[in-house]
Amino acid sequence: MTKSHTHVSSDPLQQIRWLTYMMFFMFAMTSDAVGMIIPELITEFGLSMTQASAFHYAPMALIAFSGLFLGFLADSLGRKKTIMLGLLLFSASCFLFAISSSFIFFIFLLCCIGLAIGLFKTGALALLGDISHSNAEHTKTMNKVEGFFGIGAIVGPALVGVLLVQKVSWTYLYIIAGIMCLILAFLAWRAEYPSVVKSTEKPASLATTMKMIKNPYALGFSLAIALYVATEVAIYVWMPTLLKDYTGSWPLLATYALTIFFILRAAGRFIAVWLLNRYSWQGVMAYLSLGIALCYVGTLVGGVDWAVGLLPLSGLFMSMVYPTLNSKGISCFPVQQHGAVAGVILFFTALSAALAPLFMGMISDYFGHVRYGFYLATGFAIILFLAMLFNYFRDPSASALQESNLITE
């Protein structure tokens, strides 16, 4: 069994990396600004928290659908065509925000955006396997990619804040993202992607993805990532609402809590490369997940007065978890299956991102305050820590990762 080889010069390879970084940056600008937009939607359209959360769970549901049922296109159609198709659909959907002020139409456009994200993200994640020479390099590159995602997550909410202060509609965020995406699509079209020499004659298909779901490594990493995502989306979807009426001693901290969270998360992802050079990824995951759980437990104990400091701080602990688990999950498989397994992982990622804030909103509406939704998020954080503790002591993926690394090298 031999790994697919990529033949590409150093200059195109660097260009491909930067295109991937900017795709994740642009995606984060819109997805992680939702927490800033939801309070505006509630006021503008008179929505409940459950209704307003559709602005987050609708695109996430379509990302899940796209990842599961279209993820194989990155293997069969090719990385470049799949990425360009997703970018063009994303751009067109963003521009259509300029022609309507209907909440239902906004949701429809977000569904189209979710479908597009599922396409170009699975293509980009599969591409990382083509340009990485070992599992360790793959994990470090994944953390860099998610680091740029983290920067986009800072810029997006900040841009929405500037727009609102200037009395400009938040919809201009999507117009700006659409322009950026159109430029990226053009650059992707001009770029020379690495050619992958396949080691199997059997083409990738939906059946490949369906079979992948039954694989214990794909399923195990997907469920672990789903737990992590449930804790993360609680912050950027509902923390602004939780802290909106804060009247304690740190009003400035409450105002910029989401920005601080994103800054710490982005900084941590770049620090991840340093950590991974010195410590085992299993141990790092265990300690970071413990930090996340303690931040949530502290929020339940101290209420909103503690939440204003602990919830933003959790971003530092969250920084490495998603890209590292995502990389290790994909690295358990040969490069010819990276599109399919990336689609499976993306399905569980987006499904969790859709359902967790929805359930939090429903619980908050039922009990009359958003803080009750954070009880559910705390449960997810504790289960994630227990899963990472199991991974640290048992290391169930060791054999698959070792075999994959030998093939790669």
Side-chain angles (χ1 to χ4, degrees):
M1 181 177 181
T2 58
K3 180 186 181 292
S4 298
H5 298 287
T6 57
H7 308 286
V8 60
S9 63
S10 59
D11 288 340
L13 189 64
Q14 188 65 16
Q15 184 183 15
I16 290 297
R17 282 200 174 99
W18 276 101
L19 278 171
T20 306
Y21 295 155
M22 294 311 297
M23 278 190 284
F24 276 72
F25 172 90
M26 178 272 304
F27 163 40
M29 278 182 59
T30 56
S31 66
D32 283 21
V34 168
M36 296 287 291
I37 296 173
I38 282 179
E40 300 300 315
L41 293 172
I42 291 174
T43 301
E44 183 177 348
F45 295 101
L47 305 173
S48 68
M49 286 184 282
T50 303
Q51 291 169 329
S53 64
F55 218 74
H56 177 76
Y57 70 70
M60 290 301 164
L62 266 294
I63 292 175
F65 172 88
S66 183
L68 185 62
F69 293 102
L70 301 178
F72 70 92
L73 291 177
D75 297 323
S76 60
L77 188 62
R79 319 307 199 208
K80 182 173 184 175
K81 291 179 181 179
T82 304
I83 288 172
M84 285 192 60
L85 180 61
L87 290 175
L88 290 173
L89 178 58
F90 187 102
S91 183
S93 302
C94 285
F95 287 138
L96 289 174
F97 270 86
I99 69 171
S100 177
S101 58
S102 165
F103 180 72
I104 298 299
F105 188 65
F106 288 156
I107 297 299
F108 169 74
L109 292 179
L110 287 171
C111 288
C112 293
I113 286 174
L115 193 67
I117 291 170
L119 286 169
F120 76 70
K121 190 172 181 181
T122 51
L125 290 174
L127 182 63
L128 293 184
D130 301 343
I131 61 178
S132 300
H133 300 96
S134 68
N135 291 336
E137 182 184 348
H138 189 278
T139 301
K140 293 170 188 175
T141 303
M142 185 76 77
N143 273 279
K144 288 180 183 177
V145 167
E146 291 294 339
F148 279 88
F149 181 95
I151 296 173
I154 298 168
V155 173
L159 183 55
V160 172
V162 171
L163 291 173
L164 295 178
V165 168
Q166 298 297 322
K167 307 298 181 183
V168 177
S169 172
W170 52 265
T171 57
Y172 278 88
L173 170 71
Y174 291 92
I175 307 302
I176 294 169
I179 294 171
M180 290 180 59
C181 198
L182 199 59
I183 295 171
L184 289 175
F186 174 76
L187 294 175
W189 172 62
R190 294 293 302 273
E192 181 185 348
Y193 277 62
S195 58
V196 181
V197 182
K198 297 182 179 180
S199 62
T200 176
E201 296 297 324
K202 186 177 181 180
S205 64
L206 180 58
T208 307
T209 306
M210 295 297 101
K211 184 178 180 181
M212 193 72 68
I213 293 181
K214 301 176 183 179
N215 185 283
Y217 298 117
L219 185 60
F221 277 104
S222 294
L223 292 177
I225 289 173
L227 285 170
Y228 162 76
V229 169
T231 66
E232 183 189 57
V233 296
I235 303 292
Y236 67 79
V237 174
W238 291 119
M239 184 177 68
T241 305
L242 177 68
L243 302 180
K244 187 176 182 180
D245 299 322
Y246 174 78
T247 57
S249 304
W250 307 95
L252 196 62
L253 181 58
T255 301
Y256 295 101
L258 189 59
T259 300
I260 294 170
F261 169 79
F262 286 137
I263 289 174
L264 291 175
R265 191 182 65 173
R269 281 174 176 168
F270 288 109
I271 295 171
V273 178
W274 178 84
L275 282 174
L276 289 170
N277 283 331
R278 287 160 176 79
Y279 306 103
S280 72
W281 71 272
Q282 299 92 336
V284 172
M285 291 298 98
Y287 281 109
L288 292 180
S289 61
L290 174 60
I292 296 170
L294 291 176
C295 285
Y296 271 98
V297 171
T299 294
L300 293 190
V301 173
V304 71
D305 290 329
W306 288 20
V308 74
L310 289 176
L311 292 182
L313 177 63
S314 68
L316 187 61
F317 301 117
M318 290 183 183
S319 56
M320 268 187 64
V321 178
Y322 176 77
T324 301
L325 292 179
N326 201 11
S327 171
K328 297 304 180 185
I330 293 174
S331 295
C332 284
F333 299 88
V335 71
Q336 299 87 359
Q337 297 178 332
H338 279 192
V341 69
V344 171
I345 292 175
L346 183 59
F347 168 76
F348 283 95
T349 299
L351 187 66
S352 177
L355 295 181
L358 171 62
F359 291 151
M360 287 181 67
M362 293 171 64
I363 292 172
S364 300
D365 281 335
Y366 182 81
F367 289 102
H369 198 281
V370 69
R371 68 176 179 271
Y372 292 102
F374 280 87
Y375 283 81
L376 179 62
T378 302
F380 290 137
I382 293 172
I383 297 173
L384 173 65
F385 166 63
L386 294 176
M388 292 301 96
L389 204 60
F390 173 82
N391 180 69
Y392 176 71
F393 286 110
R394 298 294 297 272
D395 197 11
S397 62
S399 59
L401 289 172
Q402 184 178 11
E403 180 182 355
S404 175
N405 204 50
L406 289 173
I407 293 170
T408 301
E409 296 176 344

